[in-house]
Amino acid sequence: MVRRLLTTTALVAGLALPAYAEDLVPEPAPAGTAQEAAALRAALAAYVTDVPFEKGILRVEPDPMGQRVTLDAAPFLKADLGIDVKVAPISLLVSPRADGDWNVFTGDPIAWKFDTTIADTLQSFAYSQGEQKFKGVFAPSLFAYRTAEGFARDTVSLQNEALSDSSTTVANTKLTTSARPGQAGGVDIDFRQTFTDYAQTVGFKAPPPAEGEDGSEHAEAEATANSLLINIGVKASELEAIASVKDGRNVEARDLYVLVLRNMPAFAVDQKATLAGPFGKELRAALLKLMPFWSSLDVTVSTRDAGFQSSFGALRVGEARQVTHMTGIAENAGLDTDFALKGLSIDGPFLPPWAARFVPKEAALGLSVSGVDLKTPADLAIRNADFAADEPLSEDVKARIIQSFDPARIKIALKPSTLSATDFNLHLSGEMNFVDMNPAATLNVRAEGLENTISSLQRAAEQEPDLHQVVGMIQMAQGLGRKTPDGDWEWVVDASADGSVSVNGAVVKGPDPVVDPEADEADPEAEPNEGASDGAPSSDGAQ
């Protein structure tokens, strides 16, 4: 048990290195012993095999404050694979706590660099951190950090390829995470990561010269190829990601990984025989335990003071935010997402002055999907799969999986959404469902400032005559709308399952033609009235 605790601590720490906070120091702990180091090495081998230790990639050593696990891949990559990669070693300091959890600490900044040649073109990649520290309390019973925090400063990523160069810098990165037992037997996890002063620049180059050119043309093309054609820059004063998982199946995912790794030697010898044996049953049970992955997952991604700059113009965003909620693999699975944008502006030589009035300054859009049965088909697939067969799912099982989907339960909704510009505010909402496998939808549209929009376009059309067509189309749409007591214009668009479409109750398209199934089954190559001739009697005398 102790071996597995130490192992999971080291593995999970490697997934959460970047972070930023006040200076962090390791928790005091008794000095490690050679015996404890050997036990930890054996425990790690159960997860990663003995190969990394034999190749010198991983090593475990006693430390004055516990045990130190060091990852050093550079010598192996150069000696065994011939890849000259400069990779700074990374070590994790771990020590047991009285409550059965483990202290974890790392203070080694991540840094790596390597060059490679692809199609006679030298390409280089580099990543470095000026400083990085991570400190947490890992709970083996949760297979997650009960608490953790960390930071990274001065992160730089450089990439030079045949057709592009890229440079990314982040002044500070901050990470916090926590976990606790969930109500349904899983693990509840909260996670937050923030980047400040983020900047990325990408330059696109001209393609290399074609073969067969003479010297002067080749030299000119080569000079062009070495120059940048387009530069694109992205900046943000802050980027933040927040996630919350309810009843995540962390332990079950770990057990599935261990099960697969334990059977890999036999699997490499005979795949079908291994899957047909006890491993197949254990794999099925492990997959069923892993469902529904989580009961819910909530993710919020936001940015402040962001900008996009290129030779085509500049786009600036004061604040952008996307909030997403999704269920796990459930009988009534769903997805809900909202996107909000504030302080949007666009400048550039390709945007005419009149168009600025129609660029949305703010936007709020929302979409939801509900009533999707994901559990039944997933359960059917796992319980009835023959992992040893060339086709794990039989035709009968495939048919049952398809039948388990019930479109009539599914509802897709466009939540109340808005687009706001100088001359107009557009309000949207609607929903779509399915009737006899055919979609039916209703869309509600309300426009504020429609007359201002038409007037602005008419003035712009004096300089841009093509805009008269746009004005005509908007006026045609206005003719289909109706005026509200507030002076706005609204349209209620109904698209029925029979193919008909109406706007504010007025039919603008009738139902689709009804197709006779028996007619579809007739011989498509047969001529009409084949065997008869313009009313002439047939051989049996029938007219």
Side-chain angles (χ1 to χ4, degrees):
M1 182 65 179
V2 171
R3 296 178 180 180
R4 182 163 293 182
L5 304 186
L6 291 168
T7 299
T8 54
T9 299
L11 289 176
V12 176
L15 302 177
L17 287 177
Y20 162 79
E22 296 300 324
D23 195 24
L24 302 174
V25 296
E27 287 293 309
T33 66
Q35 183 179 3
E36 290 172 337
L40 177 55
R41 182 194 185 283
L44 284 170
Y47 284 84
V48 301
T49 75
D50 287 319
V51 174
F53 296 101
E54 295 170 352
K55 297 292 185 179
I57 300 172
L58 275 177
R59 62 179 182 269
V60 181
E61 302 164 306
D63 187 271
M65 299 184 68
Q67 301 295 326
R68 186 171 295 275
V69 182
T70 302
L71 172 65
D72 187 4
F76 163 76
L77 293 173
K78 185 174 183 178
D80 289 48
L81 302 182
I83 303 175
D84 189 8
V85 182
K86 297 179 176 62
V87 183
I90 300 174
S91 64
L92 303 173
L93 180 63
V94 299
S95 61
R97 296 167 58 93
D99 57 6
D101 293 342
W102 290 81
N103 296 316
V104 180
F105 176 85
T106 179
D108 298 335
I110 300 174
W112 57 270
K113 179 181 180 180
F114 75 94
D115 299 330
T116 184
T117 300
I118 300 177
D120 297 327
T121 301
L122 181 65
Q123 302 186 20
S124 61
F125 307 86
Y127 178 91
S128 64
Q129 296 172 342
E131 183 182 8
Q132 182 273 143
K133 290 184 180 180
F134 174 87
K135 180 179 180 179
V137 176
F138 182 76
S141 61
L142 304 177
F143 196 62
Y145 282 95
R146 200 176 295 278
T147 60
E149 61 178 327
F151 69 84
R153 296 189 178 101
D154 300 326
T155 300
V156 179
S157 177
L158 302 174
Q159 187 170 330
N160 187 314
E161 298 181 288
L163 299 179
S164 66
D165 291 337
S166 175
S167 171
T168 303
T169 60
V170 182
N172 295 302
T173 306
K174 177 181 179 179
L175 168 72
T176 59
T177 184
S178 62
R180 58 202 173 277
Q183 294 183 351
V187 181
D188 292 350
I189 301 174
D190 294 321
F191 173 90
R192 180 189 296 264
Q193 188 163 14
T194 305
F195 302 90
T196 56
D197 295 333
Y198 173 93
Q200 181 179 20
T201 302
V202 179
F204 294 94
K205 308 173 187 176
E211 296 182 1
E213 297 176 337
D214 60 38
S216 60
E217 292 177 346
H218 182 85
E220 182 180 351
E222 185 175 8
T224 303
N226 290 330
S227 63
L228 295 176
L229 293 180
I230 302 174
N231 271 319
I232 297 176
V234 179
K235 291 185 177 181
S237 64
E238 182 178 281
L239 292 171
E240 186 172 62
I242 302 172
S244 177
V245 179
K246 299 296 184 185
D247 285 305
R249 295 299 190 262
N250 293 33
V251 175
E252 291 78 3
R254 179 202 63 193
D255 292 345
L256 175 61
Y257 164 77
V258 172
L259 172 66
V260 173
L261 186 65
R262 188 173 65 239
N263 286 273
M264 284 304 296
F267 189 81
V269 174
D270 191 332
Q271 298 181 13
K272 289 188 176 181
T274 303
L275 289 169
F279 175 52
K281 295 181 179 179
E282 293 174 343
L283 179 61
R284 191 189 318 278
L287 289 171
L288 290 171
K289 288 181 179 179
L290 187 60
M291 293 204 314
F293 300 150
W294 53 71
S295 60
S296 68
L297 171 63
D298 293 273
V299 179
T300 300
V301 180
S302 60
T303 180
R304 291 192 303 106
D305 301 327
F308 173 90
Q309 182 73 46
S310 74
S311 56
F312 300 106
L315 181 149
R316 298 179 181 84
V317 178
E319 181 179 349
R321 179 183 298 268
Q322 182 173 2
V323 180
T324 302
H325 168 83
M326 66 180 69
T327 65
I329 306 300
E331 292 182 352
N332 187 24
L335 170 70
D336 194 282
T337 185
D338 293 280
F339 178 76
L341 195 65
K342 294 182 180 180
L344 176 66
S345 65
I346 300 176
D347 300 313
F350 299 100
L351 184 70
W354 60 266
R357 302 182 65 85
F358 305 102
V359 175
K361 296 181 178 180
E362 295 187 4
L365 304 173
L367 180 71
S368 68
V369 180
S370 60
V372 184
D373 185 357
L374 297 178
K375 183 180 184 302
T376 301
D379 194 72
L380 280 170
I382 295 174
R383 292 184 183 278
N384 294 280
D386 183 356
F387 297 115
D390 293 332
E391 289 290 338
L393 298 178
S394 67
E395 294 302 319
D396 176 65
V397 172
K398 291 179 182 178
R400 291 166 60 190
I401 290 174
I402 294 174
Q403 292 175 358
S404 70
F405 286 101
D406 184 6
R409 296 181 49 188
I410 301 174
K411 180 179 178 181
I412 303 172
L414 175 64
K415 298 193 291 185
S417 304
T418 60
L419 293 172
S420 300
T422 301
D423 280 345
F424 69 86
N425 293 317
L426 198 62
H427 303 265
L428 306 167
S429 64
E431 64 180 41
M432 183 177 74
N433 50 30
F434 296 87
V435 179
D436 296 330
M437 302 295 289
N438 296 316
T442 298
L443 177 64
N444 301 287
V445 182
R446 181 168 61 88
E448 302 176 36
L450 185 61
E451 288 81 1
N452 292 338
T453 300
I454 295 174
S455 297
S456 295
L457 287 171
Q458 287 174 333
R459 289 192 298 270
E462 298 175 1
Q463 304 296 326
E464 299 283 348
D466 290 343
L467 289 177
H468 285 297
Q469 297 181 7
V470 178
V471 173
M473 293 176 63
I474 294 178
Q475 289 176 330
M476 183 182 300
Q478 185 181 29
L480 293 173
R482 63 190 177 201
K483 207 162 189 177
T484 69
D486 296 333
D488 303 332
W489 288 86
E490 69 176 3
W491 300 261
V492 178
V493 183
D494 289 303
S496 300
D498 62 5
S500 61
V501 179
S502 65
V503 179
N504 292 335
V507 177
V508 296
K509 177 186 176 298
D512 294 333
V514 178
V515 179
D516 185 357
E518 295 183 359
D520 288 346
E521 295 176 359
D523 185 358
E525 298 182 357
E527 296 292 335
N529 299 322
E530 185 176 4
S533 56
D534 297 328
S538 63
S539 60
D540 62 1
Q543 286 292 109

